Amino acid sequence: MTIETTTTSSAGLAATWAALTDVNDWPHWTKSMTSVERLDSGDLRVGSRARVKQPGMPSMIWQVDELRENEGFSWAATSLGVRVTGHHWLSRNPDGTTHIRLSVEQRGPLAGLVNALTGSRTRRFIDMEAAGLKAASEAYESKAG
């Protein structure tokens, strides 16, 4: 099961990447995150882990399993027979704006049940995160400019 959303930020790729990879700051720009705590230091990289708490859901430990500099990353968490993977990908549009594509995949023996119970919330959260990343990247670029 996959839920996906896209949006476009007027910010450039560098500003959008900076906002995206500062995961500790996510709760400041999306209400879909109560807290995010990096469990390691330094730049986000394959193997980086973070504890994420979302409203009405248990805390989960997410680990980055793919990262391409200035393009995006995927991370995954496992809970109750379901592996959840969050994908965060960016691309530069011809006009200099940034295309943002976020998706969540749920796989495993209980994925159907989890989707039935939390699918509408997951859709709301991913839409909030896309809107928040757009706003955060645009604010970051206006401060830097």
Side-chain angles (χ1 to χ4, degrees), residues 23-41:
V23 298
N24 284 332
D25 195 46
W26 288 9
H28 294 111
W29 50 257
T30 180
K31 291 184 183 202
S32 67
M33 305 277 172
T34 306
S35 64
V36 178
E37 175 192 4
R38 281 281 304 273
L39 300 177
D40 47 47
S41 59

Side-chain angles (χ1 to χ4, degrees), residues 63-68 72-76 85-89:
Q63 183 168 325
V64 175
D65 54 16
E66 180 182 9
L67 185 140
R68 291 194 303 260
F73 73 93
S74 294
W75 63 3
T85 305
H87 302 280
H88 314 81
W89 295 102

